[in-house]
Amino acid sequence: MKLLQNLIRNIVIFSSVAILLIVLVLTPTGLEVYIVDYKMEWSFNWKVYFNNIKSTIYQLIFERTLGGDPNTGILVLDHVKRYSLRSLKIIIPTFIICLIIGMLKGLINYYFEKRFLTIGNRILNIFFISIPDFFILIVLQYLIFSITNSGLIKIDLYGHENWYNVILPMIALSIYPIFYLSKIVYTCIKDEEDNHYVRTAAAKGTRRLWIVHRHILMNCLFIITSNFQKVFIIILSSLPIIELLSAYNGAGYQLMIALKDNNMKLTIGYLFFFLITMTISSCFIQLINHLINSRSLKLNLLMFKSFKLDRTFKR
Amino acid sequence: MNKLNPILLIGIAFLIVLLFLSFIGPYLPFVQDNLDKKHFIKDSNNNLLVPPLPPSDKFIIGTDKEGRDLLSVLILGAKETLGFILFISIIRYLISIPLGFLASRDKYIYNILILWNRLFTYVPTFIVVLLISFIPFVLYSSSRLLLMIILIAFIEVGNAALIKKELFAQVRKKEYVTSGIVIGTRPIKLFLKYFLFPVRKQIIVHFTFDIGRNMLLLAQLGFADIFITHVIKQNETGSWVWFNNSNNWPILLSDSLLFIKTAIWIPLWTALFMSFTIFTFNLLGEGLKEYFTKKA
């Protein structure tokens, strides 16, 4: 039931964001510029603007197409498909790597707490959370430049043609989410540690590894999985800049070009790519959440308690 | 008096460096104040060189594309840039604190805030700012700078207000609030003394982190060649062009793709100054958090 509710909520949000984006993108169509006395004057034609919005939404719903790109004549759908597949090659592996390494790092931080919680390490953690991804990318490019200039190896850093072009953007994109997720995992376990059931388990002589994995982590999972969405948002929102700086010709790069050229159809197409990826990921993460949390002990206990309370009230 | 922790101390030290650069920096001996744009620069052998020039004895970290000393440009632009990010955060907090308070009382406002937050997270934030900045009413407005700052502040209001809602909701459970309502305190006094005062420390911490995040957003906008300061002028051929007459940092990030290949020192040093700013405010926030929790 809750899954269905979430699905409806996702659809409502999706359509409202889509309409908002179309309304925003199409505003320059209502602009009329003319020159009076060597000065630029402008006025806004609301009628043209509303007609444009109406026809675009009509086209999307009934004809299921955005038509062709006015400059090249290529169908917007084909254009978006071609470049967004390249972006997905970065997004999906980065997301998976961030989840795995981030959770592992959080666990390692917890196990070797005393070694990791020194002031130096904490400052290092803040440092890695603070440095923007584009700075990491520029520094990496600078380093590789100086290596290639010395003549040791030759690498083509830019473009999308070679398989290793993906690596640099992936490194730049994944550093912040990894540190973010590891911090969440660490604080989560730390908060859970003081609970009675953990102390009982420890007093009974259960091994620490077993306590953390079977007891604490299972109960923390629903907080951790609810942060997966945030990780995805972080990756997706830095994607355009990273693609621009590494000249990786993907959806983010094309979106920036379309925006600069004032190409409204392509802009809408690429914005929809971002919107759809976000919606699919959100549905997927909610599904994972649902599957994991139905097994979570603590949540079941909470639900059981509320169920009992309900019954007593009804009597 | 509570002891200052090392993270807070480093943060304060870095902040002093930033403030020193922005207020006293312009008067330092190695900073050139006349930043005229040049098409070429003469070297000691009277050869004409076309900027951007790489780092040398005369230009410690090189020049920008207009032949100005990059270090001087960065130092002269520091005050303006820091002012922008601070101003954006102040506006955002002035709006989001009352909104958060209302949301903790009213479920409808809470739902609107959730929708607001979702709307702008589904597409990268800086893309939304880009889209809005192309709206004619903003683009041709005479007070565009103020409008852009307010817009950037507004877009993240949803997120900021939701954090405040959580804080106020916790306060609402406390008994002294009920007693305050019972003795008939006026609503404004109730809000200021009973709600805002107890959570002031958390709000200061969030505010500090928020300033750092604004720097990131401005940098992203700079990469996309959108600046919050620009002027429209007519050129010789009669067409209208936008150009900048200010020195803030994001402007130096324009055309980065070209400069990374030809003059990497421009984006590298600009990004370094920005990263330093973000690092400073994150250290300050983290340090203040520890300082306040230990005190309590």
Side-chain angles (χ1 to χ4, degrees):
Chain A
M1 196 55 212
K2 202 172 177 207
L3 217 59
L4 193 74
Q5 215 176 6
N6 274 339
L7 194 72
I8 293 169
R9 189 194 284 161
N10 274 327
I11 291 170
V12 169
I13 288 174
F14 177 83
S15 37
S16 48
V17 177
I19 290 171
L20 182 88
L21 287 177
I22 290 174
V23 166
L24 274 180
V25 173
L26 289 176
T27 32
T29 55
L31 181 71
E32 283 169 354
V33 179
Y34 40 88
I35 289 171
V36 182
D37 280 345
Y38 300 104
K39 270 197 170 179
M40 187 168 63
E41 299 277 331
W42 63 278
S43 65
F44 198 77
N45 195 336
W46 290 98
K47 214 172 178 183
V48 175
Y49 173 52
F50 281 131
N51 281 338
N52 269 322
I53 294 176
K54 232 186 275 170
S55 66
T56 312
I57 293 175
Y58 180 85
Q59 242 186 352
L60 264 176
I61 294 173
F62 294 103
E63 296 169 19
R64 299 215 175 93
T65 168
L66 271 167
D69 170 21
N71 296 343
T72 52
I74 303 170
L75 276 181
V76 173
L77 190 67
D78 293 342
H79 203 285
V80 174
K81 234 188 229 165
R82 183 172 166 200
Y83 291 102
S84 43
L85 277 179
R86 284 185 199 154
S87 282
L88 286 178
K89 261 189 230 165
I90 293 186
I91 298 170
I92 295 170
T94 316
F95 184 55
I96 294 168
I97 288 172
C98 285
L99 293 190
I100 294 170
I101 299 183
M103 300 223 330
L104 275 179
K105 195 179 169 300
L107 278 179
I108 290 170
N109 277 4
Y110 178 74
Y111 282 131
F112 303 100
E113 207 175 357
K114 286 196 181 93
R115 206 175 299 165
F116 272 97
L117 222 68
T118 54
I119 290 294
N121 261 317
R122 282 183 59 199
I123 292 175
L124 206 68
N125 263 339
I126 299 170
F127 175 73
F128 276 112
I129 283 191
S130 321
I131 46 171
D133 32 28
F134 56 81
F135 183 62
I136 300 171
L137 190 76
I138 293 173
V139 169
L140 283 175
Q141 283 176 340
Y142 184 65
L143 289 178
I144 293 175
F145 265 141
S146 35
I147 294 171
T148 44
N149 280 348
S150 64
L152 283 175
I153 36 167
K154 273 211 162 121
I155 315 171
D156 177 20
L157 275 181
Y158 301 101
H160 57 271
E161 294 87 1
N162 304 312
W163 60 270
Y164 51 78
N165 285 136
V166 192
I167 297 173
L168 226 53
M170 265 166 65
I171 295 173
L173 279 175
S174 57
I175 284 183
Y176 175 67
I178 285 174
F179 277 84
Y180 172 81
L181 197 65
S182 71
K183 199 179 170 189
I184 298 272
V185 171
Y186 173 77
T187 42
C188 218
I189 297 176
K190 204 75 193 149
D191 285 348
E192 201 71 21
E193 208 183 36
D194 288 339
N195 278 336
H196 284 294
Y197 74 94
V198 180
R199 282 193 214 153
T200 316
K204 274 182 170 178
T206 321
R207 277 183 297 133
R208 192 174 174 218
L209 213 68
W210 186 264
I211 296 175
V212 173
H213 283 193
R214 292 295 299 183
H215 298 265
I216 299 181
L217 210 59
M218 273 317 222
N219 289 330
C220 284
L221 264 182
F222 75 99
I223 300 175
I224 296 170
T225 46
S226 58
N227 273 291
F228 284 179
Q229 184 70 40
K230 176 90 184 172
V231 170
F232 197 80
I233 290 172
I234 294 167
I235 293 172
L236 214 59
S237 55
S238 352
L239 186 75
I241 298 293
I242 295 296
E243 279 188 0
L244 178 81
L245 288 182
S246 55
Y248 188 91
N249 201 349
Y253 188 60
Q254 288 293 327
L255 174 62
M256 306 266 280
I257 290 176
L259 265 170
K260 264 186 208 168
D261 292 351
N262 223 351
N263 191 336
M264 282 154 207
K265 283 193 171 169
L266 280 185
T267 311
I268 293 176
Y270 283 107
L271 283 175
F272 269 62
F273 162 71
F274 276 87
L275 193 56
I276 289 168
T277 336
M278 199 64 105
T279 313
I280 290 174
S281 80
S282 139
C283 288
F284 187 67
I285 288 165
Q286 273 167 16
L287 191 73
I288 292 178
N289 246 337
H290 183 79
L291 289 178
I292 289 174
N293 293 345
S294 59
R295 287 178 58 194
S296 163
L297 197 83
K298 196 177 178 181
L299 218 66
N300 280 349
L301 210 67
L302 281 174
M303 271 148 92
F304 180 65
K305 267 184 191 164
S306 63
F307 178 64
K308 259 172 84 179
L309 269 177
D310 276 356
R311 280 217 326 218
T312 46
F313 273 121
K314 264 170 199 163
R315 274 179 199 168
Chain B
M1 192 61 198
N2 202 1
K3 225 177 113 188
L4 293 172
N5 53 356
I7 292 180
L8 185 59
L9 277 178
I10 298 172
I12 291 172
F14 281 7
L15 185 69
I16 290 171
V17 171
L18 271 181
L19 292 178
F20 178 80
L21 274 185
S22 47
F23 286 100
I24 304 174
Y27 306 108
L28 290 178
F30 58 86
V31 175
Q32 306 162 0
D33 353 342
N34 60 330
L35 292 174
D36 296 332
K37 297 178 181 177
K38 298 164 204 149
H39 294 294
F40 56 84
I41 294 170
K42 276 185 192 168
D43 69 351
S44 49
N45 302 330
N46 266 348
N47 292 327
L48 293 184
L49 301 171
V50 181
L53 299 183
S56 60
D57 291 340
K58 198 178 169 196
F59 306 109
I60 306 164
I61 57 171
T63 71
D64 69 347
K65 60 181 166 181
E66 272 130 6
R68 302 175 293 180
D69 181 32
L70 187 61
L71 188 64
S72 309
V73 177
L74 282 171
I75 288 175
L76 287 175
K79 200 199 288 180
E80 200 180 325
T81 315
L82 292 180
F84 282 149
I85 54 177
L86 189 69
F87 198 51
I88 292 172
S89 279
I90 290 173
I91 292 180
R92 184 177 297 152
Y93 270 60
L94 282 181
I95 304 165
S96 68
I97 290 173
L99 263 182
F101 177 69
L102 288 177
S104 74
R105 267 172 52 165
D106 198 328
K107 214 178 169 189
Y108 289 106
I109 296 176
Y110 175 57
N111 283 331
I112 290 172
L113 281 183
I114 286 183
L115 193 68
W116 189 338
N117 189 21
R118 289 276 177 87
L119 280 185
F120 295 121
T121 48
Y122 269 60
V123 175
T125 316
F126 84 96
I127 296 275
V128 181
V129 179
L130 266 181
L131 284 177
I132 293 175
S133 70
F134 282 133
I135 293 177
F137 304 105
V138 180
L139 195 63
Y140 295 111
S141 168
S142 51
S143 52
R144 178 176 178 277
L145 176 62
L146 191 68
L147 263 180
M148 283 297 283
I149 288 176
I150 292 174
L151 274 174
I152 295 173
F154 248 87
I155 283 173
E156 296 243 318
V157 157
N159 189 14
L162 281 179
I163 295 171
K164 259 128 262 166
K165 186 250 154 192
E166 292 299 320
L167 291 177
F168 288 132
Q170 279 170 13
V171 175
R172 196 169 283 281
K173 284 180 199 156
K174 303 262 167 68
E175 276 169 2
Y176 68 86
V177 175
T178 327
S179 70
I181 296 168
V182 168
I183 59 169
T185 323
R186 273 187 301 138
I188 292 174
K189 199 180 169 192
L190 194 73
F191 169 64
L192 290 177
K193 288 226 162 154
Y194 287 69
F195 280 95
L196 202 56
F197 192 67
V199 296
R200 66 193 183 282
K201 290 170 184 170
Q202 283 101 316
I203 286 181
I204 290 172
V205 171
H206 286 302
F207 183 76
T208 321
F209 283 125
D210 199 62
I211 298 172
R213 265 201 300 276
N214 285 337
M215 185 77 257
L216 186 68
L217 189 62
L218 283 195
Q220 287 177 326
L221 286 175
F223 278 117
D225 291 352
I226 289 291
F227 318 108
I228 56 177
T229 53
H230 73 199
V231 191
I232 309 176
K233 284 270 164 72
Q234 197 176 21
N235 68 5
E236 304 85 56
T237 57
S239 58
W240 296 89
V241 283
W242 280 267
F243 76 95
N244 274 288
N245 51 0
S246 103
N247 292 326
N248 55 41
W249 296 343
I251 290 166
L252 293 167
L253 290 175
S254 61
D255 299 328
S256 309
L257 184 56
L258 180 73
F259 285 135
I260 280 183
K261 287 173 189 161
T262 55
I264 199 163
W265 56 91
I266 299 176
L268 186 71
W269 282 98
T270 315
L272 183 73
F273 269 65
M274 287 174 159
S275 307
F276 181 74
T277 313
I278 300 172
F279 186 38
T280 306
F281 284 108
N282 279 358
L283 277 174
L284 266 180
E286 206 60 47
L288 280 174
K289 203 184 193 174
E290 202 180 308
Y291 179 73
F292 287 146
T293 43
K294 264 189 185 163
K295 212 171 187 178

